[in-house]
Amino acid sequence: MSIFRLGEQQPPEARRINDEVVMRFEHVYEVDPRLMELTGQQSMPAWDTQRIVDGRWDYLDWMHDHFADEVLLAGEESETMEGRG
Amino acid sequence: MSVAFKSAIDDAVLDELRAIIGDDDRVLTNLSSRVNRTRVPAPFPVHRWAEHMPDVAVLPTSTEEVSEIVKLANRLRIPVVPRAGGTGLADGAVPLRGGILVDVKLMNRIHEVDLVDRTVTVGPGINMLKLNEELRRHGVFYPDDPASYPCSLVGGRIGAGGWSLLGARYGHTRENVVSMQVVLPTGEIAQIGDGGGRKLRKSSTGFNLKQLFTGHQGTLGICTEATLELAPRPETEFAAFFAFEDYASAWETTGILSKSGLATIAGVVLFDEWKIAYLRRDDEAYIEQPESVRAVVAVAMYGRRVEVEPASKVVMQLGRSAGGRYLGDEISSGDWASRHDRYAIPLHGRSTEGQAVPMSWHCEDAALNYSALPKVREAWHAIVARYRERYEIFDDWGMFAYTGGANKPWADYLVEIDVGIWEQRLNEETWSAWVDCKREIAEVTLAHGGSITACHGATRAGDAELVPTEMGTAWPVVKAIKRALDPNNVMNPGKQSLDEAYE
């Protein structure tokens, strides 16, 4: 169970991924705010970001289950991301 | 004979509609009900919204109600526009001349599940996802799977003659509709199928009318009931994504996979360099991929585990046979799952200054043979680049090519170029530019022996006027059929250049 602590809801500082993308939470990519001047962004507490990310994974799992009883994987790592962490 | 239309809805007509429906809440004349049934997700002339509004929207609940509505419209020469989910990427469900919009969403019942002869009979307002939730307990499913799977409805799929993500294995909409009940443009009710049987898949009696009534874009009638195929629910799904350093290798691999003879292959998808560049902007699966990833091929299989598991090993070999590198289990399974629902994505593009802006999605969906893909790709991108250079509303989101042949995936492809359109900046000049851009793209398709649409329908300005060209010597036949079935041109008028049938 996660506990809501107000002090933990401020998103951390973004780190740059590339010229157009930043990251505040692990594996959560964001369009660089410099490119969002014409499209306003609302500030979002950490729990809400996590809720949306978790919801996305739940949705993909649901979709797999909807179409087949099981998902068979090749069981192999990415051959393009080798050595990239 | 010339048949011209203008709206003819007055209080007397509304009174007749209310008498037919018997429930004033299902005869809607208020502004919001009509506005919400005007456009579809595709780019829309928002600066001329009012021109496309229906005069009244009705929500029938039975075939008899639809029949009486259409008889009324035919008697008074009022346009009728059928609409199901309104999720199309062309204008099949968009009124061009006002009139009566027949919204079939309340006709959403499952009438019969026949597990012996393997059919399910439904109303046209049911959604495939909801239908399959019900069918799951029987161990069967209805295998029609568009990118709008969670929100599009059976009636719209039949009207559009839709393409399915799983079509290589299970067929597309027209293969999965066994028969249907249709209200013709004069209001008569007809049972349409292969021959006369409601549950027969193959007959040589009379004409094969089922094909005629699948994909007419609502111009030949309104489907009010459909008997659909039931396939065994897949036991196992397998998806694999392969990366390539150049388009040519990816194209070659797409051909290798689609011609492999593996019967469990449900679809092969080719992503070109522009598509990868687009995904690299802000799609989690592609942002951190190295620059050497310039094209991708995805393949998915469904079936029994005894079929899929050995075939998966062959796919892994074939996917690498021309230089492909496996993108890993996480992307392969996750990205494939997301392909069932492309409407959940908040669409945005980049202005010419690089700013993220909301855009609507123009998806040009030609049918092309495998051999034509490389040249068409170059020509299409050149067209969009030229327009983007001149107008800020365009953004090139890249191209996909999907296996398009039902159960025979080896030669035909649904080829799409996705173009973001910044609707907030639309005006007469930019709208005309978009229509011109669309027409140029369609002309390239025809020049390469293709068809200007494989799924969405040629109902929009920019390609509707090319339908006679594409149909060629068959165009007089098309016009004769339209004129015979719809003598007063009331059924979804203005689409596919069918007004020529009345000249």
Side-chain angles (χ1 to χ4, degrees), chain B residues 263-316:
Chain B
T264 48
I265 286 182
V268 183
V269 189
L270 167 60
F271 305 45
D272 82 344
E273 304 98 305
W274 280 265
K275 180 58 73 181
I276 299 301
Y278 168 71
L279 295 172
R280 209 186 282 284
R281 291 175 183 171
D282 44 28
D283 185 307
E284 62 195 21
Y286 299 93
I287 288 168
E288 296 203 57
Q289 292 293 334
E291 286 300 318
S292 61
V293 175
R294 298 193 184 90
V296 164
V297 175
V299 55
M301 298 192 293
Y302 289 84
R304 298 292 301 272
R305 183 161 187 140
V306 293
E307 303 170 291
V308 173
E309 188 166 22
S312 71
K313 299 183 189 329
V314 179
V315 160
M316 295 302 291

XYZ file of all heavy atoms in Angstrom, chain B residues 263-316:
428
model
N 0.043 -20.149 -41.514
C -1.392 -19.837 -41.504
C -1.816 -19.050 -40.277
O -2.886 -18.449 -40.264
C -2.198 -21.127 -41.594
N -1.017 -19.080 -39.227
C -1.400 -18.358 -38.005
C -1.051 -16.876 -38.067
O -1.417 -16.127 -37.160
C -0.708 -18.976 -36.774
O 0.676 -19.136 -37.062
C -1.329 -20.305 -36.407
N -0.361 -16.442 -39.104
C -0.042 -15.014 -39.193
C -1.334 -14.224 -39.388
O -2.079 -14.437 -40.344
C 0.949 -14.733 -40.340
C 2.352 -15.212 -39.934
C 0.989 -13.240 -40.674
C 3.427 -14.953 -40.963
N -1.578 -13.304 -38.449
C -2.794 -12.481 -38.515
C -2.517 -11.157 -39.191
O -3.426 -10.512 -39.712
C -3.331 -12.249 -37.112
N -1.263 -10.720 -39.166
C -0.935 -9.460 -39.808
C 0.563 -9.206 -39.778
O 1.266 -9.633 -38.854
N 1.042 -8.528 -40.818
C 2.425 -8.046 -40.872
C 2.348 -6.546 -41.135
O 1.565 -6.101 -41.980
C 3.236 -8.735 -41.993
C 4.695 -8.255 -41.974
C 3.171 -10.254 -41.857
N 3.114 -5.775 -40.374
C 3.042 -4.319 -40.456
C 4.441 -3.759 -40.704
O 5.387 -4.112 -39.997
C 2.485 -3.702 -39.149
C 2.218 -2.214 -39.344
C 1.241 -4.427 -38.682
N 4.532 -2.890 -41.696
C 5.807 -2.257 -42.046
C 5.754 -0.780 -41.659
O 4.875 -0.042 -42.099
C 6.034 -2.414 -43.556
C 7.122 -1.588 -44.240
C 8.493 -1.881 -43.647
C 7.132 -1.884 -45.742
N 6.688 -0.352 -40.806
C 6.798 1.056 -40.403
C 7.943 1.666 -41.217
O 9.060 1.145 -41.176
C 7.190 1.211 -38.941
C 6.352 0.534 -37.882
C 5.913 -0.774 -37.984
C 6.040 1.223 -36.719
C 5.178 -1.371 -36.965
C 5.311 0.634 -35.696
C 4.878 -0.670 -35.823
N 7.709 2.787 -41.873
C 8.809 3.367 -42.654
C 9.623 4.372 -41.819
O 9.370 4.578 -40.630
C 8.291 3.970 -43.966
C 7.718 5.357 -43.808
O 7.425 5.776 -42.670
O 7.558 6.044 -44.843
N 10.616 4.984 -42.450
C 11.542 5.865 -41.713
C 10.809 7.061 -41.106
O 11.149 7.524 -40.020
C 12.643 6.390 -42.635
C 13.437 5.326 -43.353
C 12.935 5.116 -44.777
O 11.717 4.855 -44.940
O 13.737 5.212 -45.711
N 9.835 7.617 -41.845
C 9.099 8.777 -41.338
C 8.273 8.374 -40.114
O 8.108 9.145 -39.191
C 8.197 9.345 -42.431
C 8.905 10.211 -43.418
C 9.010 11.576 -43.392
C 9.612 9.785 -44.594
N 9.735 12.016 -44.475
C 10.108 10.949 -45.226
C 9.877 8.544 -45.171
C 10.840 10.893 -46.416
C 10.601 8.488 -46.339
C 11.080 9.649 -46.953
N 7.746 7.163 -40.154
C 6.956 6.697 -39.012
C 7.852 6.532 -37.785
O 7.469 6.917 -36.669
C 6.255 5.380 -39.364
C 5.402 4.792 -38.248
C 4.305 5.741 -37.774
C 3.181 5.862 -38.775
N 2.123 6.808 -38.292
N 9.026 5.988 -37.989
C 9.933 5.828 -36.854
C 10.361 7.194 -36.318
O 10.427 7.410 -35.097
C 11.175 4.993 -37.258
C 10.730 3.584 -37.702
C 12.165 4.897 -36.094
C 9.973 2.790 -36.668
N 10.619 8.134 -37.222
C 10.992 9.481 -36.777
C 9.868 10.117 -35.976
O 10.106 10.789 -34.960
C 11.343 10.349 -37.986
N 8.648 9.892 -36.409
C 7.478 10.421 -35.689
C 7.364 9.769 -34.305
O 7.184 10.458 -33.292
C 6.222 10.155 -36.523
C 4.925 10.373 -35.789
C 4.487 11.652 -35.455
C 4.125 9.286 -35.439
C 3.284 11.841 -34.781
C 2.928 9.472 -34.770
C 2.508 10.743 -34.442
O 1.329 10.924 -33.775
N 7.494 8.456 -34.247
C 7.382 7.757 -32.966
C 8.524 8.127 -32.027
O 8.363 8.162 -30.809
C 7.373 6.241 -33.197
C 6.168 5.703 -33.973
C 6.360 4.236 -34.319
C 4.878 5.889 -33.182
N 9.660 8.427 -32.611
C 10.830 8.772 -31.807
C 10.631 10.095 -31.047
O 11.312 10.365 -30.068
C 12.056 8.876 -32.728
C 13.369 8.546 -32.079
C 14.487 8.839 -33.058
N 14.660 7.836 -34.094
C 15.235 6.658 -33.907
N 15.676 6.321 -32.725
N 15.384 5.816 -34.917
N 9.675 10.904 -31.502
C 9.428 12.171 -30.806
C 8.929 11.934 -29.385
O 9.380 12.559 -28.446
C 8.332 12.962 -31.535
C 8.681 13.518 -32.871
C 7.403 14.144 -33.435
N 7.580 14.661 -34.776
C 6.541 15.082 -35.500
N 5.318 15.036 -35.020
N 6.749 15.553 -36.708
N 7.931 11.028 -29.253
C 7.329 10.890 -27.928
C 6.607 9.559 -27.711
O 5.663 9.495 -26.940
C 6.394 12.057 -27.623
C 5.488 12.418 -28.778
O 5.180 11.526 -29.586
O 5.097 13.573 -28.874
N 7.004 8.513 -28.376
C 6.456 7.190 -28.091
C 7.488 6.421 -27.281
O 8.618 6.223 -27.727
C 6.139 6.458 -29.401
C 5.445 5.119 -29.162
O 5.995 4.308 -28.382
O 4.381 4.882 -29.748
N 7.066 5.969 -26.095
C 8.025 5.374 -25.153
C 8.806 4.199 -25.745
O 9.927 3.926 -25.325
C 7.280 4.900 -23.905
C 6.251 3.814 -24.212
C 5.267 3.598 -23.066
O 5.129 4.498 -22.247
O 4.657 2.521 -23.042
N 8.207 3.508 -26.704
C 8.877 2.341 -27.262
C 10.031 2.719 -28.186
O 10.932 1.914 -28.430
C 7.868 1.474 -28.016
N 10.027 3.935 -28.707
C 10.987 4.276 -29.760
C 11.917 5.432 -29.413
O 12.918 5.650 -30.087
C 10.224 4.604 -31.058
C 9.420 3.414 -31.532
C 8.097 3.262 -31.159
C 10.010 2.403 -32.293
C 7.362 2.150 -31.540
C 9.292 1.293 -32.684
C 7.965 1.167 -32.297
O 7.255 0.049 -32.672
N 11.608 6.186 -28.362
C 12.387 7.391 -28.043
C 13.869 7.079 -27.885
O 14.727 7.798 -28.404
C 11.836 8.050 -26.750
C 10.486 8.701 -27.040
C 12.819 9.074 -26.197
C 9.729 9.122 -25.805
N 14.171 6.022 -27.170
C 15.587 5.763 -26.863
C 16.218 4.735 -27.801
O 17.338 4.272 -27.550
C 15.714 5.323 -25.405
C 15.281 6.424 -24.441
C 15.885 6.279 -23.064
O 17.120 6.247 -22.957
O 15.108 6.190 -22.095
N 15.519 4.373 -28.846
C 16.136 3.461 -29.811
C 17.293 4.177 -30.513
O 17.229 5.377 -30.776
C 15.114 3.013 -30.855
C 14.009 2.113 -30.321
C 14.515 0.752 -29.876
O 15.545 0.274 -30.370
N 13.826 0.147 -28.926
N 18.367 3.454 -30.820
C 19.500 4.090 -31.508
C 19.130 4.568 -32.910
O 18.144 4.101 -33.494
C 20.543 2.964 -31.564
C 19.774 1.706 -31.413
C 18.591 2.031 -30.552
N 19.918 5.482 -33.432
C 19.634 6.056 -34.754
C 19.612 4.989 -35.843
O 19.011 5.186 -36.901
C 20.674 7.130 -35.099
C 20.485 8.433 -34.333
C 19.134 9.077 -34.609
O 18.717 9.097 -35.782
O 18.487 9.526 -33.650
N 20.271 3.868 -35.603
C 20.312 2.810 -36.626
C 18.941 2.157 -36.828
O 18.749 1.424 -37.802
C 21.338 1.737 -36.243
O 20.981 1.143 -35.002
N 18.015 2.408 -35.926
C 16.655 1.884 -36.106
C 15.895 2.868 -36.991
O 15.492 3.944 -36.562
C 15.939 1.702 -34.751
C 14.490 1.275 -34.966
C 16.676 0.692 -33.892
N 15.733 2.506 -38.242
C 15.097 3.422 -39.199
C 13.801 2.873 -39.784
O 13.066 3.593 -40.440
C 16.073 3.764 -40.326
C 17.313 4.485 -39.819
C 18.132 5.097 -40.942
N 19.344 5.693 -40.397
C 20.507 5.050 -40.254
N 20.598 3.788 -40.632
N 21.554 5.650 -39.746
N 13.574 1.608 -39.643
C 12.319 1.008 -40.114
C 12.043 -0.204 -39.232
O 12.968 -0.764 -38.624
C 12.414 0.597 -41.582
N 10.788 -0.575 -39.145
C 10.394 -1.682 -38.261
C 9.386 -2.564 -38.994
O 8.572 -2.072 -39.782
C 9.779 -1.138 -36.943
C 9.009 -2.212 -36.184
C 10.869 -0.543 -36.047
N 9.479 -3.850 -38.724
C 8.458 -4.794 -39.199
C 7.878 -5.517 -37.982
O 8.629 -6.043 -37.158
C 9.052 -5.821 -40.187
C 7.999 -6.865 -40.573
C 9.574 -5.120 -41.430
N 6.568 -5.497 -37.885
C 5.877 -6.208 -36.806
C 5.086 -7.357 -37.413
O 4.524 -7.225 -38.497
C 4.930 -5.264 -36.074
N 5.057 -8.466 -36.700
C 4.250 -9.598 -37.154
C 3.538 -10.168 -35.940
O 4.101 -10.212 -34.838
C 5.126 -10.666 -37.865
C 6.276 -11.111 -36.974
C 4.300 -11.867 -38.296
N 2.289 -10.573 -36.120
C 1.520 -11.143 -35.011
C 0.814 -12.407 -35.479
O 0.384 -12.507 -36.629
C 0.490 -10.147 -34.492
N 0.730 -13.347 -34.562
C 0.069 -14.623 -34.870
C -0.939 -14.955 -33.777
O -0.731 -14.624 -32.607
C 1.105 -15.746 -34.960
C 2.116 -15.542 -36.068
S 3.100 -17.012 -36.377
C 4.005 -17.110 -34.873
N -2.005 -15.639 -34.180
C -3.022 -16.111 -33.243
C -3.422 -17.524 -33.606
O -3.450 -17.879 -34.789
C -4.271 -15.219 -33.299
C -4.077 -13.845 -32.706
C -3.520 -12.826 -33.462
C -4.426 -13.590 -31.385
C -3.327 -11.559 -32.917
C -4.245 -12.336 -30.835
C -3.694 -11.323 -31.601
O -3.506 -10.087 -31.056
N -3.771 -18.314 -32.606
C -4.258 -19.663 -32.870
C -4.059 -20.560 -31.673
O -3.902 -20.092 -30.538
N -4.076 -21.875 -31.921
C -3.774 -22.830 -30.875
C -2.279 -22.821 -30.589
O -1.456 -22.550 -31.465
C -4.202 -24.239 -31.323
C -5.691 -24.392 -31.599
C -6.510 -24.277 -30.328
N -6.130 -25.292 -29.333
C -6.663 -26.523 -29.281
N -7.588 -26.895 -30.151
N -6.272 -27.381 -28.353
N -1.907 -23.148 -29.365
C -0.488 -23.104 -29.003
C 0.324 -24.074 -29.864
O 1.463 -23.773 -30.232
C -0.293 -23.442 -27.528
C 1.167 -23.319 -27.132
C 1.389 -23.190 -25.650
N 2.812 -22.914 -25.406
C 3.261 -22.072 -24.519
N 2.418 -21.377 -23.794
N 4.557 -21.905 -24.340
N -0.280 -25.218 -30.199
C 0.450 -26.201 -31.003
C 0.779 -25.658 -32.399
O 1.682 -26.158 -33.063
C -0.320 -27.530 -31.139
C -0.425 -28.226 -29.802
C -1.690 -27.320 -31.763
N 0.023 -24.662 -32.841
C 0.325 -24.025 -34.131
C 1.295 -22.859 -33.945
O 2.255 -22.697 -34.687
C -0.950 -23.449 -34.757
C -2.092 -24.396 -34.994
C -3.342 -23.627 -35.392
O -3.910 -22.920 -34.544
O -3.737 -23.741 -36.563
N 0.965 -22.004 -32.946
C 1.676 -20.732 -32.814
C 3.114 -20.933 -32.325
O 4.046 -20.275 -32.819
C 0.905 -19.795 -31.858
C 1.705 -18.534 -31.580
C -0.457 -19.437 -32.458
N 3.309 -21.844 -31.403
C 4.641 -21.962 -30.803
C 5.704 -22.375 -31.824
O 6.731 -21.702 -31.947
C 4.605 -22.930 -29.617
C 5.914 -22.931 -28.837
C 5.767 -23.622 -27.494
O 4.836 -24.439 -27.330
O 6.569 -23.334 -26.592
N 5.496 -23.442 -32.601
C 6.523 -23.764 -33.610
C 6.639 -22.685 -34.686
O 7.736 -22.375 -35.164
C 6.057 -25.103 -34.191
C 4.640 -25.263 -33.796
C 4.436 -24.481 -32.549
N 5.502 -22.072 -35.037
C 5.547 -21.022 -36.059
C 6.325 -19.801 -35.561
O 6.979 -19.100 -36.341
C 4.134 -20.628 -36.460
N 6.263 -19.544 -34.248
C 6.981 -18.390 -33.706
C 8.486 -18.521 -33.917
O 9.188 -17.527 -34.137
C 6.660 -18.220 -32.218
O 7.272 -19.244 -31.446
N 8.972 -19.736 -33.851
C 10.420 -19.943 -34.058
C 10.797 -19.655 -35.516
O 11.862 -19.108 -35.802
C 10.801 -21.372 -33.658
C 10.503 -21.656 -32.181
C 10.939 -23.036 -31.778
C 10.459 -23.425 -30.376
N 10.312 -22.367 -29.402
N 9.903 -20.011 -36.422
C 10.144 -19.709 -37.843
C 10.105 -18.194 -38.063
O 10.950 -17.634 -38.786
C 9.084 -20.407 -38.725
C 9.315 -20.072 -40.198
C 9.107 -21.906 -38.513
N 9.163 -17.537 -37.416
C 9.053 -16.075 -37.552
C 10.335 -15.402 -37.054
O 10.833 -14.452 -37.675
C 7.813 -15.559 -36.781
C 7.928 -14.065 -36.495
C 6.549 -15.840 -37.576
N 10.878 -15.888 -35.945
C 12.104 -15.273 -35.414
C 13.266 -15.432 -36.405
O 14.122 -14.548 -36.511
C 12.465 -15.878 -34.054
C 11.446 -15.590 -32.957
S 11.158 -13.829 -32.672
C 12.708 -13.317 -31.956
